[in-house]
Amino acid sequence: GDVYKRQVRNSHREKDFCYECGQDDPFLVDKNVDAVQRLGHASFGRLEGTAEVVELFSEVIMEDRSALARASAATSLTQIGLKLPDYRCRPIPDDGTRFLALMREVDALYARQACDANAKRVAMDRIRQIGDLEFTSIDFRFYRQSLKFFYGRKFLVDESDPAVRQVIDTALTKRLNGLIHVSLQAAVDDPVAQVRADAIRGLKTLGDAEAIEAVVMRLEYESSWLVSMEAVEYLGKIGTREGVLALIRLLDDPNASVRHKARVSLGQLAGQDFGFRRENWERWAHSKDPTLEFEDADDDLGDAPAMLR
């Protein structure tokens, strides 16, 4: 895995992430794509190694000039996400201020020459809080930078106490999952259809209900039936109120395959098939949620997605 990781890093200039001059190696981009694909299946002895790869892939998704590399990064991030434990928690909204304060506090606790038992207990509590933070209203790159706290602090990497190690690994896993999901959500608006499709497929595979707004907004001006098909499958799996409204609208999509897939997805949610007549599905949805107003569906998405199962 380390060989492929170096290949991806060495393929790009650090200052702007553009490809290095390929005159000496005309296959540089191909090698980079191959490395990205292989890293999705690679295993690392330490979770910190996985963190470096996820951080690198998030940069590939946003900065790489090769659409194939971006699509491959989306697929590889999905594969990594499937292997990570899913630690459910109630996220703590943060604009970055709390993260920086907690990070400084942990630094200060470990700066003591002899970190006593009480200091370690406090440090464990602060690290747990770092794992639960959900960054809001800030650039997703902050998610990426937050990973460096875990593999950039020697005292955390070298920590051998089993209890503390578990807290560190759990918090790092939560941060990893956050970056994976945010990176895939960002790729939903990639200029290339294949990248968008792979990103939405990843969100569907990982069951990311938080991406519902990004996917629905994308559908409002999506021109590729391939992306729309992936979005329909995603909406059918998530099964939220907002998703059902979007699926019903897609019954009028110009593409017959998209219309059929929307009907199938709605049928799976309803447990029965009401055909292609939109009013039948609206009647069913309204029986589940009488507050729905289909004429102004775009204005009636609600704050919290309520299940329509």
Side-chain angles (χ1 to χ4, degrees):
D2 289 337
V3 173
Y4 297 122
K5 185 168 58 180
R6 285 196 299 272
Q7 175 66 49
V8 178
R9 288 199 183 280
N10 294 338
S11 296
H12 305 86
R13 295 197 300 262
E14 184 176 350
K15 63 178 181 179
D16 56 10
F17 210 72
C18 289
Y19 280 100
E20 296 285 359
C21 180
Q23 292 180 350
D24 296 330
D25 188 353
F27 303 107
L28 182 64
V29 176
D30 296 326
K31 290 179 178 179
N32 175 71
V33 171
D34 179 69
V36 170
Q37 293 172 347
R38 291 176 182 272
L39 278 170
H41 301 281
S43 58
F44 299 88
R46 296 287 299 269
L47 191 59
E48 287 86 353
T50 303
E52 289 187 70
V53 171
V54 170
E55 180 194 355
L56 182 60
F57 281 171
S58 72
E59 194 164 6
V60 170
I61 278 182
M62 297 307 297
E63 304 292 343
D64 202 295
R65 301 292 182 88
S66 166
L68 182 55
R70 300 196 302 274
S72 298
T75 300
S76 291
L77 279 176
T78 302
Q79 292 167 344
I80 293 172
L82 286 172
K83 292 184 285 188
L84 291 174
D86 185 10
Y87 295 119
R88 298 287 178 177
C89 68
R90 178 174 295 179
I92 303 171
D94 179 41
D95 63 357
T97 304
R98 189 167 188 172
F99 169 77
L100 293 173
L102 290 168
M103 186 176 68
R104 284 193 291 266
E105 193 171 350
V106 174
D107 284 343
L109 288 165
Y110 269 95
R112 302 177 184 177
Q113 200 65 24
C115 191
D116 57 34
N118 182 62
K120 281 208 171 184
R121 281 194 296 270
V122 176
M124 288 168 66
D125 175 71
R126 304 304 185 262
I127 293 170
R128 286 192 190 95
Q129 292 185 51
I130 288 173
D132 292 342
L133 295 178
E134 181 179 57
F135 302 128
T136 57
S137 304
I138 56 178
D139 195 294
F140 92 96
R141 281 173 286 195
F142 199 88
Y143 273 90
R144 188 165 66 213
Q145 294 166 355
S146 72
L147 294 181
K148 289 187 173 68
F149 168 72
F150 293 96
Y151 67 81
R153 298 295 199 277
K154 191 175 187 301
F155 59 80
L156 291 181
V157 175
D158 294 342
E159 179 61 67
S160 58
D161 184 304
V164 183
R165 186 74 255 163
Q166 182 178 8
V167 170
I168 293 171
D169 287 348
T170 299
L172 177 53
T173 299
K174 290 177 180 178
R175 299 259 49 86
L176 279 170
N177 276 320
L179 180 57
I180 288 172
H181 287 253
V182 170
S183 298
L184 291 174
Q185 290 173 28
V188 169
D189 281 328
D190 191 274
V192 177
Q194 185 60 58
V195 181
R196 299 196 297 273
D198 286 339
I200 295 174
R201 187 182 303 113
L203 294 168
K204 174 192 68 178
T205 302
L206 297 176
D208 184 356
E210 299 299 321
I212 186 76
E213 183 177 357
V215 174
V216 170
M217 288 182 62
R218 179 71 221 178
L219 278 170
E220 293 180 3
Y221 50 90
E222 182 55 59
S223 59
S224 168
W225 69 270
L226 174 67
V227 178
S228 295
M229 292 282 280
E230 290 295 341
V232 167
E233 290 194 4
Y234 166 82
L235 296 172
K237 179 174 181 178
I238 299 304
T240 61
R241 178 177 186 265
E242 187 177 6
V244 168
L245 286 170
L247 285 171
I248 290 175
R249 289 196 294 269
L250 286 169
L251 292 171
D252 295 330
D253 192 88
N255 186 282
S257 296
V258 174
R259 296 196 301 272
H260 173 74
K261 181 67 75 172
R263 175 183 172 183
V264 170
S265 294
L266 285 167
Q268 292 171 343
L269 292 172
Q272 55 185 313
D273 184 10
F274 294 107
F276 280 110
R277 293 177 64 87
R278 177 170 170 165
E279 55 267 30
N280 292 340
W281 290 107
E282 291 178 350
R283 191 177 302 114
W284 162 77
H286 193 266
S287 71
K288 298 295 182 181
D289 187 347
T291 67
L292 292 176
E293 298 179 9
F294 296 97
E295 290 183 356
D296 300 309
D298 289 334
D299 299 324
D300 188 52
L301 299 179
D303 295 324
M307 296 304 294
L308 280 171
R309 295 185 186 277

Short mmCIF file of all heavy atoms in Angstrom, two decimals, residues 94-146:
data_model
loop_
_atom_site.label_atom_id
_atom_site.label_comp_id
_atom_site.label_asym_id
_atom_site.label_seq_id
_atom_site.Cartn_x
_atom_site.Cartn_y
_atom_site.Cartn_z
N ASP A 94 -19.90 21.99 14.89
CA ASP A 94 -18.72 22.80 15.22
C ASP A 94 -18.27 23.54 13.97
O ASP A 94 -18.28 22.99 12.87
CB ASP A 94 -17.60 21.89 15.74
CG ASP A 94 -16.33 22.67 16.06
OD1 ASP A 94 -16.45 23.77 16.62
OD2 ASP A 94 -15.23 22.18 15.75
N ASP A 95 -17.89 24.79 14.15
CA ASP A 95 -17.37 25.58 13.04
C ASP A 95 -15.85 25.54 12.97
O ASP A 95 -15.22 26.31 12.25
CB ASP A 95 -17.84 27.03 13.14
CG ASP A 95 -17.32 27.73 14.39
OD1 ASP A 95 -16.64 27.08 15.21
OD2 ASP A 95 -17.62 28.93 14.56
N GLY A 96 -15.25 24.62 13.73
CA GLY A 96 -13.80 24.49 13.78
C GLY A 96 -13.20 25.03 15.06
O GLY A 96 -12.11 24.62 15.47
N THR A 97 -13.94 25.91 15.73
CA THR A 97 -13.42 26.53 16.95
C THR A 97 -13.24 25.50 18.06
O THR A 97 -12.21 25.47 18.75
CB THR A 97 -14.37 27.65 17.43
OG1 THR A 97 -14.55 28.58 16.37
CG2 THR A 97 -13.80 28.35 18.66
N ARG A 98 -14.24 24.67 18.23
CA ARG A 98 -14.18 23.67 19.30
C ARG A 98 -13.08 22.65 19.03
O ARG A 98 -12.37 22.22 19.95
CB ARG A 98 -15.53 22.98 19.44
CG ARG A 98 -15.65 22.08 20.66
CD ARG A 98 -17.09 21.68 20.90
NE ARG A 98 -17.24 20.97 22.15
CZ ARG A 98 -18.42 20.65 22.69
NH1 ARG A 98 -19.55 20.99 22.07
NH2 ARG A 98 -18.48 19.99 23.82
N PHE A 99 -12.95 22.26 17.78
CA PHE A 99 -11.90 21.30 17.42
C PHE A 99 -10.52 21.84 17.79
O PHE A 99 -9.71 21.14 18.40
CB PHE A 99 -11.96 20.99 15.92
CG PHE A 99 -10.77 20.22 15.41
CD1 PHE A 99 -10.64 18.86 15.65
CD2 PHE A 99 -9.76 20.87 14.72
CE1 PHE A 99 -9.53 18.17 15.19
CE2 PHE A 99 -8.65 20.19 14.26
CZ PHE A 99 -8.54 18.83 14.50
N LEU A 100 -10.25 23.07 17.41
CA LEU A 100 -8.94 23.65 17.69
C LEU A 100 -8.69 23.78 19.19
O LEU A 100 -7.57 23.52 19.67
CB LEU A 100 -8.83 25.02 17.02
CG LEU A 100 -8.83 25.00 15.48
CD1 LEU A 100 -8.88 26.41 14.92
CD2 LEU A 100 -7.63 24.25 14.94
N ALA A 101 -9.74 24.13 19.94
CA ALA A 101 -9.59 24.26 21.40
C ALA A 101 -9.30 22.90 22.03
O ALA A 101 -8.43 22.77 22.91
CB ALA A 101 -10.84 24.88 22.00
N LEU A 102 -10.02 21.87 21.60
CA LEU A 102 -9.81 20.52 22.13
C LEU A 102 -8.42 20.01 21.76
O LEU A 102 -7.75 19.36 22.56
CB LEU A 102 -10.89 19.57 21.61
CG LEU A 102 -12.30 19.78 22.16
CD1 LEU A 102 -13.31 18.97 21.34
CD2 LEU A 102 -12.38 19.38 23.63
N MET A 103 -8.01 20.29 20.53
CA MET A 103 -6.69 19.85 20.08
C MET A 103 -5.58 20.48 20.92
O MET A 103 -4.64 19.80 21.34
CB MET A 103 -6.51 20.22 18.60
CG MET A 103 -5.24 19.68 17.96
SD MET A 103 -5.17 20.07 16.20
CE MET A 103 -4.98 21.85 16.27
N ARG A 104 -5.71 21.78 21.18
CA ARG A 104 -4.71 22.46 22.01
C ARG A 104 -4.70 21.90 23.44
O ARG A 104 -3.63 21.78 24.06
CB ARG A 104 -4.99 23.97 22.03
CG ARG A 104 -4.57 24.69 20.75
CD ARG A 104 -4.56 26.19 20.94
NE ARG A 104 -5.92 26.70 21.11
CZ ARG A 104 -6.67 27.17 20.12
NH1 ARG A 104 -6.18 27.17 18.88
NH2 ARG A 104 -7.87 27.64 20.35
N GLU A 105 -5.88 21.53 23.92
CA GLU A 105 -5.96 21.00 25.28
C GLU A 105 -5.26 19.64 25.37
O GLU A 105 -4.54 19.36 26.33
CB GLU A 105 -7.42 20.87 25.70
CG GLU A 105 -7.60 20.63 27.19
CD GLU A 105 -9.05 20.73 27.62
OE1 GLU A 105 -9.90 21.18 26.82
OE2 GLU A 105 -9.33 20.35 28.78
N VAL A 106 -5.47 18.80 24.37
CA VAL A 106 -4.80 17.50 24.36
C VAL A 106 -3.29 17.68 24.23
O VAL A 106 -2.51 16.99 24.90
CB VAL A 106 -5.34 16.62 23.21
CG1 VAL A 106 -4.54 15.32 23.09
CG2 VAL A 106 -6.81 16.30 23.42
N ASP A 107 -2.87 18.60 23.38
CA ASP A 107 -1.44 18.88 23.25
C ASP A 107 -0.84 19.27 24.60
O ASP A 107 0.25 18.81 24.97
CB ASP A 107 -1.22 20.02 22.25
CG ASP A 107 -1.37 19.58 20.80
OD1 ASP A 107 -1.32 18.35 20.56
OD2 ASP A 107 -1.54 20.43 19.94
N ALA A 108 -1.54 20.12 25.33
CA ALA A 108 -1.03 20.59 26.62
C ALA A 108 -0.97 19.45 27.64
O ALA A 108 -0.02 19.36 28.42
CB ALA A 108 -1.93 21.71 27.15
N LEU A 109 -1.98 18.57 27.62
CA LEU A 109 -1.99 17.45 28.56
C LEU A 109 -0.82 16.50 28.31
O LEU A 109 -0.18 16.02 29.24
CB LEU A 109 -3.32 16.70 28.46
CG LEU A 109 -4.54 17.42 29.03
CD1 LEU A 109 -5.83 16.77 28.53
CD2 LEU A 109 -4.51 17.41 30.56
N TYR A 110 -0.53 16.25 27.04
CA TYR A 110 0.57 15.34 26.71
C TYR A 110 1.93 16.02 26.79
O TYR A 110 2.96 15.35 26.78
CB TYR A 110 0.37 14.74 25.32
CG TYR A 110 -0.40 13.44 25.33
CD1 TYR A 110 -1.78 13.42 25.13
CD2 TYR A 110 0.24 12.23 25.54
CE1 TYR A 110 -2.49 12.23 25.14
CE2 TYR A 110 -0.46 11.03 25.54
CZ TYR A 110 -1.82 11.04 25.35
OH TYR A 110 -2.51 9.85 25.36
N ALA A 111 1.93 17.34 26.85
CA ALA A 111 3.21 18.06 26.93
C ALA A 111 3.89 17.86 28.28
O ALA A 111 5.09 18.07 28.40
CB ALA A 111 2.99 19.54 26.68
N ARG A 112 3.11 17.44 29.26
CA ARG A 112 3.72 17.15 30.56
C ARG A 112 4.71 16.01 30.42
O ARG A 112 4.45 15.03 29.73
CB ARG A 112 2.65 16.77 31.58
CG ARG A 112 1.56 17.83 31.77
CD ARG A 112 0.50 17.33 32.73
NE ARG A 112 -0.59 18.30 32.86
CZ ARG A 112 -1.67 18.09 33.60
NH1 ARG A 112 -1.79 16.96 34.28
NH2 ARG A 112 -2.60 19.01 33.68
N GLN A 113 5.82 16.14 31.09
CA GLN A 113 6.87 15.14 30.97
C GLN A 113 6.37 13.76 31.39
O GLN A 113 6.69 12.75 30.78
CB GLN A 113 8.07 15.54 31.84
CG GLN A 113 9.38 14.85 31.45
CD GLN A 113 9.83 15.26 30.05
OE1 GLN A 113 9.47 16.33 29.56
NE2 GLN A 113 10.61 14.41 29.39
N ALA A 114 5.58 13.73 32.45
CA ALA A 114 5.00 12.46 32.90
C ALA A 114 3.49 12.63 32.92
O ALA A 114 2.93 13.20 33.85
CB ALA A 114 5.52 12.10 34.29
N CYS A 115 2.83 12.16 31.87
CA CYS A 115 1.38 12.30 31.75
C CYS A 115 0.72 11.34 32.73
O CYS A 115 0.69 10.13 32.52
CB CYS A 115 0.94 11.98 30.32
SG CYS A 115 -0.77 12.42 29.97
N ASP A 116 0.20 11.86 33.86
CA ASP A 116 -0.34 10.99 34.90
C ASP A 116 -1.70 10.42 34.48
O ASP A 116 -2.26 10.78 33.44
CB ASP A 116 -0.44 11.74 36.23
CG ASP A 116 -1.28 13.01 36.12
OD1 ASP A 116 -2.24 13.02 35.34
OD2 ASP A 116 -0.96 13.99 36.82
N ALA A 117 -2.21 9.54 35.32
CA ALA A 117 -3.45 8.84 35.00
C ALA A 117 -4.62 9.81 34.84
O ALA A 117 -5.46 9.65 33.94
CB ALA A 117 -3.77 7.80 36.09
N ASN A 118 -4.69 10.82 35.69
CA ASN A 118 -5.78 11.78 35.59
C ASN A 118 -5.71 12.58 34.30
O ASN A 118 -6.72 12.82 33.63
CB ASN A 118 -5.76 12.73 36.79
CG ASN A 118 -6.90 13.72 36.76
OD1 ASN A 118 -8.07 13.32 36.81
ND2 ASN A 118 -6.59 15.00 36.67
N ALA A 119 -4.48 12.99 33.93
CA ALA A 119 -4.31 13.73 32.68
C ALA A 119 -4.72 12.89 31.48
O ALA A 119 -5.34 13.39 30.53
CB ALA A 119 -2.86 14.18 32.54
N LYS A 120 -4.43 11.59 31.54
CA LYS A 120 -4.80 10.71 30.43
C LYS A 120 -6.31 10.54 30.35
O LYS A 120 -6.89 10.46 29.26
CB LYS A 120 -4.12 9.34 30.57
CG LYS A 120 -2.67 9.34 30.14
CD LYS A 120 -2.22 7.99 29.65
CE LYS A 120 -0.83 8.07 29.02
NZ LYS A 120 -0.39 6.79 28.45
N ARG A 121 -6.97 10.50 31.50
CA ARG A 121 -8.43 10.38 31.49
C ARG A 121 -9.05 11.62 30.85
O ARG A 121 -9.99 11.52 30.06
CB ARG A 121 -8.96 10.20 32.91
CG ARG A 121 -8.83 8.78 33.44
CD ARG A 121 -9.67 8.58 34.69
NE ARG A 121 -9.21 9.43 35.80
CZ ARG A 121 -8.31 9.04 36.69
NH1 ARG A 121 -7.76 7.83 36.60
NH2 ARG A 121 -7.95 9.85 37.66
N VAL A 122 -8.52 12.78 31.19
CA VAL A 122 -9.02 14.02 30.59
C VAL A 122 -8.74 14.02 29.08
O VAL A 122 -9.59 14.40 28.27
CB VAL A 122 -8.38 15.25 31.26
CG1 VAL A 122 -8.82 16.53 30.57
CG2 VAL A 122 -8.74 15.30 32.74
N ALA A 123 -7.54 13.60 28.71
CA ALA A 123 -7.18 13.55 27.29
C ALA A 123 -8.10 12.61 26.52
O ALA A 123 -8.53 12.92 25.39
CB ALA A 123 -5.72 13.12 27.13
N MET A 124 -8.43 11.47 27.10
CA MET A 124 -9.33 10.52 26.45
C MET A 124 -10.70 11.15 26.22
O MET A 124 -11.31 10.98 25.15
CB MET A 124 -9.46 9.25 27.30
CG MET A 124 -8.20 8.38 27.29
SD MET A 124 -8.24 7.10 28.56
CE MET A 124 -9.60 6.07 27.98
N ASP A 125 -11.19 11.90 27.20
CA ASP A 125 -12.49 12.57 27.06
C ASP A 125 -12.44 13.59 25.93
O ASP A 125 -13.38 13.69 25.12
CB ASP A 125 -12.87 13.26 28.37
CG ASP A 125 -14.15 14.06 28.23
OD1 ASP A 125 -15.23 13.44 28.12
OD2 ASP A 125 -14.06 15.31 28.20
N ARG A 126 -11.36 14.35 25.84
CA ARG A 126 -11.24 15.36 24.78
C ARG A 126 -11.13 14.72 23.41
O ARG A 126 -11.68 15.23 22.43
CB ARG A 126 -10.03 16.27 25.05
CG ARG A 126 -10.03 16.96 26.41
CD ARG A 126 -11.30 17.78 26.64
NE ARG A 126 -11.24 18.52 27.88
CZ ARG A 126 -11.78 18.13 29.02
NH1 ARG A 126 -12.45 16.96 29.08
NH2 ARG A 126 -11.70 18.87 30.11
N ILE A 127 -10.41 13.60 23.32
CA ILE A 127 -10.28 12.91 22.04
C ILE A 127 -11.62 12.34 21.61
O ILE A 127 -11.97 12.36 20.42
CB ILE A 127 -9.20 11.81 22.13
CG1 ILE A 127 -7.82 12.44 22.32
CG2 ILE A 127 -9.20 10.94 20.88
CD1 ILE A 127 -6.73 11.46 22.67
N ARG A 128 -12.40 11.83 22.56
CA ARG A 128 -13.75 11.35 22.23
C ARG A 128 -14.58 12.48 21.63
O ARG A 128 -15.31 12.29 20.65
CB ARG A 128 -14.45 10.82 23.48
CG ARG A 128 -13.96 9.48 23.98
CD ARG A 128 -14.92 8.91 25.03
NE ARG A 128 -14.37 7.74 25.68
CZ ARG A 128 -13.72 7.75 26.83
NH1 ARG A 128 -13.54 8.91 27.48
NH2 ARG A 128 -13.24 6.65 27.37
N GLN A 129 -14.50 13.65 22.24
CA GLN A 129 -15.25 14.79 21.73
C GLN A 129 -14.81 15.16 20.32
O GLN A 129 -15.64 15.49 19.46
CB GLN A 129 -15.09 15.98 22.66
CG GLN A 129 -15.74 15.82 24.03
CD GLN A 129 -15.64 17.07 24.86
OE1 GLN A 129 -15.98 18.17 24.40
NE2 GLN A 129 -15.15 16.95 26.09
N ILE A 130 -13.51 15.11 20.07
CA ILE A 130 -13.01 15.41 18.72
C ILE A 130 -13.62 14.45 17.70
O ILE A 130 -13.99 14.85 16.59
CB ILE A 130 -11.47 15.34 18.70
CG1 ILE A 130 -10.87 16.54 19.45
CG2 ILE A 130 -10.94 15.29 17.26
CD1 ILE A 130 -9.37 16.47 19.62
N GLY A 131 -13.72 13.19 18.07
CA GLY A 131 -14.31 12.21 17.15
C GLY A 131 -15.76 12.49 16.84
O GLY A 131 -16.24 12.17 15.74
N ASP A 132 -16.50 13.12 17.78
CA ASP A 132 -17.93 13.34 17.60
C ASP A 132 -18.27 14.65 16.89
O ASP A 132 -19.44 14.91 16.61
CB ASP A 132 -18.64 13.34 18.96
CG ASP A 132 -18.64 11.96 19.61
OD1 ASP A 132 -18.42 10.97 18.88
OD2 ASP A 132 -18.86 11.87 20.84
N LEU A 133 -17.26 15.47 16.60
CA LEU A 133 -17.53 16.77 15.99
C LEU A 133 -17.99 16.62 14.54
O LEU A 133 -17.50 15.78 13.79
CB LEU A 133 -16.28 17.64 16.04
CG LEU A 133 -15.78 18.06 17.43
CD1 LEU A 133 -14.51 18.88 17.30
CD2 LEU A 133 -16.85 18.82 18.19
N GLU A 134 -18.93 17.45 14.17
CA GLU A 134 -19.39 17.52 12.77
C GLU A 134 -19.20 18.96 12.31
O GLU A 134 -19.88 19.88 12.78
CB GLU A 134 -20.87 17.13 12.66
CG GLU A 134 -21.39 17.16 11.24
CD GLU A 134 -22.85 16.75 11.15
OE1 GLU A 134 -23.68 17.40 11.83
OE2 GLU A 134 -23.15 15.78 10.44
N PHE A 135 -18.26 19.16 11.41
CA PHE A 135 -17.92 20.50 10.98
C PHE A 135 -19.02 21.08 10.09
O PHE A 135 -19.44 20.45 9.11
CB PHE A 135 -16.59 20.51 10.24
CG PHE A 135 -15.46 19.97 11.08
CD1 PHE A 135 -14.64 18.96 10.60
CD2 PHE A 135 -15.24 20.46 12.35
CE1 PHE A 135 -13.60 18.47 11.37
CE2 PHE A 135 -14.20 19.98 13.13
CZ PHE A 135 -13.38 18.98 12.65
N THR A 136 -19.49 22.26 10.42
CA THR A 136 -20.57 22.91 9.69
C THR A 136 -20.14 24.28 9.21
O THR A 136 -19.34 24.96 9.84
CB THR A 136 -21.81 23.07 10.59
OG1 THR A 136 -21.44 23.84 11.75
CG2 THR A 136 -22.34 21.72 11.04
N SER A 137 -20.68 24.65 8.07
CA SER A 137 -20.45 26.00 7.50
C SER A 137 -18.98 26.30 7.26
O SER A 137 -18.57 27.46 7.32
CB SER A 137 -21.06 27.07 8.43
OG SER A 137 -22.43 26.82 8.63
N ILE A 138 -18.19 25.27 7.04
CA ILE A 138 -16.78 25.49 6.72
C ILE A 138 -16.40 24.60 5.54
O ILE A 138 -17.09 23.64 5.23
CB ILE A 138 -15.84 25.19 7.91
CG1 ILE A 138 -16.06 23.75 8.41
CG2 ILE A 138 -16.04 26.18 9.03
CD1 ILE A 138 -15.13 23.38 9.54
N ASP A 139 -15.29 24.93 4.90
CA ASP A 139 -14.82 24.15 3.76
C ASP A 139 -14.53 22.72 4.18
O ASP A 139 -13.98 22.48 5.25
CB ASP A 139 -13.54 24.79 3.20
CG ASP A 139 -13.21 24.27 1.81
OD1 ASP A 139 -12.90 23.07 1.72
OD2 ASP A 139 -13.26 25.06 0.87
N PHE A 140 -14.93 21.76 3.33
CA PHE A 140 -14.75 20.36 3.69
C PHE A 140 -13.28 19.99 3.88
O PHE A 140 -12.96 18.98 4.49
CB PHE A 140 -15.39 19.45 2.64
CG PHE A 140 -14.45 19.02 1.54
CD1 PHE A 140 -13.80 17.80 1.61
CD2 PHE A 140 -14.22 19.82 0.45
CE1 PHE A 140 -12.93 17.38 0.61
CE2 PHE A 140 -13.36 19.42 -0.56
CZ PHE A 140 -12.72 18.20 -0.47
N ARG A 141 -12.39 20.85 3.39
CA ARG A 141 -10.96 20.57 3.57
C ARG A 141 -10.56 20.57 5.04
O ARG A 141 -9.53 20.01 5.41
CB ARG A 141 -10.13 21.57 2.77
CG ARG A 141 -10.07 21.23 1.28
CD ARG A 141 -9.39 22.29 0.47
NE ARG A 141 -10.24 23.46 0.32
CZ ARG A 141 -10.01 24.42 -0.59
NH1 ARG A 141 -8.99 24.33 -1.39
NH2 ARG A 141 -10.82 25.46 -0.68
N PHE A 142 -11.39 21.20 5.87
CA PHE A 142 -11.12 21.17 7.30
C PHE A 142 -11.24 19.73 7.81
O PHE A 142 -10.50 19.33 8.72
CB PHE A 142 -12.10 22.08 8.05
CG PHE A 142 -11.63 22.46 9.43
CD1 PHE A 142 -10.83 23.57 9.62
CD2 PHE A 142 -11.97 21.69 10.52
CE1 PHE A 142 -10.38 23.92 10.88
CE2 PHE A 142 -11.54 22.03 11.79
CZ PHE A 142 -10.74 23.15 11.97
N TYR A 143 -12.16 18.96 7.23
CA TYR A 143 -12.26 17.54 7.58
C TYR A 143 -10.93 16.85 7.30
O TYR A 143 -10.44 16.05 8.09
CB TYR A 143 -13.35 16.86 6.74
CG TYR A 143 -14.75 16.94 7.32
CD1 TYR A 143 -15.59 17.99 7.01
CD2 TYR A 143 -15.23 15.94 8.15
CE1 TYR A 143 -16.88 18.05 7.52
CE2 TYR A 143 -16.52 15.99 8.66
CZ TYR A 143 -17.33 17.05 8.34
OH TYR A 143 -18.60 17.11 8.85
N ARG A 144 -10.37 17.18 6.15
CA ARG A 144 -9.12 16.55 5.74
C ARG A 144 -7.98 16.94 6.68
O ARG A 144 -7.20 16.08 7.11
CB ARG A 144 -8.80 16.96 4.31
CG ARG A 144 -7.61 16.23 3.70
CD ARG A 144 -7.59 16.40 2.20
NE ARG A 144 -7.34 17.77 1.81
CZ ARG A 144 -7.86 18.34 0.72
NH1 ARG A 144 -8.69 17.68 -0.04
NH2 ARG A 144 -7.56 19.58 0.40
N GLN A 145 -7.91 18.21 7.01
CA GLN A 145 -6.84 18.68 7.88
C GLN A 145 -6.97 18.11 9.29
O GLN A 145 -5.97 17.94 9.99
CB GLN A 145 -6.86 20.21 7.92
CG GLN A 145 -6.51 20.85 6.59
CD GLN A 145 -6.86 22.33 6.54
OE1 GLN A 145 -7.46 22.85 7.46
NE2 GLN A 145 -6.51 22.97 5.43
N SER A 146 -8.20 17.80 9.70
CA SER A 146 -8.40 17.29 11.07
C SER A 146 -7.75 15.93 11.27
O SER A 146 -7.43 15.55 12.40
CB SER A 146 -9.89 17.21 11.39
OG SER A 146 -10.53 16.16 10.68
#
